Amino acid sequence: MSSTMNCPDCEAEILSRMGTICPNCGFTVGYFNGTTKRKKYGKFFALTVFAPFFSFLTILFGQVNIYSFLIAIAIFFYLAIKACPYNFKDIFVSKFEKIFFWIVWGFTNGFLLVLIINILKKGI
Ligand SMILES: [Zn+2]
């Protein structure tokens, strides 16, 4: 992968690879700047952290009645689908990274699903 990009500081053409230093101005390409692919990665990373946390809170506070709980379940499924690594399969650099995020996604959403089932069994 030797794709190029324009330096955000001086517009010179440089490699988009992380750690590349612009020979013109000294700008260093970081992990989240540069290509749109990496911006997508930032979005995905935020979703991975934020989505399960938000679902967890809505499930907790949605237990007031069955209607709010059904909304919480709908939000959970929506966010779980949105944050699924399958939607971002083109952004992973290594196989390890891909497996890691699938495990994180499976674990957090599995936990939330068990939580929902337990609440439903217990009754609202
Ligand atoms: Zn530069």
Side-chain angles (χ1 to χ4, degrees):
M1 288 196 294
S2 59
S3 59
T4 58
M5 62 184 246
N6 288 324
C7 173
D9 283 355
C10 72
E11 298 287 307
E13 192 172 278
I14 56 173
L15 288 176
S16 67
R17 195 177 55 220
M18 185 174 37
T20 300
I21 298 165
C22 175
N24 213 19
C25 72
F27 172 83
T28 308
V29 179
Y31 206 65
F32 290 116
N33 52 33
T35 61
T36 48
K37 206 175 190 179
R38 238 173 270 132
K39 276 181 191 130
K40 200 177 169 190
Y41 198 106
K43 188 191 160 196
F44 167 71
F45 196 80
L47 262 174
T48 301
V49 176
F50 173 75
F53 180 71
F54 189 76
S55 293
F56 182 68
L57 288 182
T58 45
I59 289 163
L60 280 189
F61 292 108
Q63 289 178 67
V64 189
N65 61 55
I66 189 70
Y67 302 107
S68 59
F69 196 65
L70 286 175
I71 292 166
I73 293 171
I75 290 170
F76 159 73
F77 277 109
Y78 174 77
L79 288 176
I81 292 162
K82 267 276 191 202
C84 182
Y86 183 80
N87 301 326
F88 298 88
K89 59 186 173 190
D90 57 325
I91 63 167
F92 299 115
V93 179
S94 66
K95 203 170 183 174
F96 170 79
E97 216 176 358
K98 198 173 165 181
I99 293 166
F100 174 79
F101 280 110
W102 269 109
I103 290 170
V104 169
W105 183 80
F107 183 79
T108 51
N109 289 291
F111 167 79
L112 290 168
L113 199 61
V114 168
L115 186 70
I116 288 168
I117 291 165
N118 281 333
I119 291 166
L120 287 173
K121 267 188 192 164
K122 196 183 73 189
I124 300 163

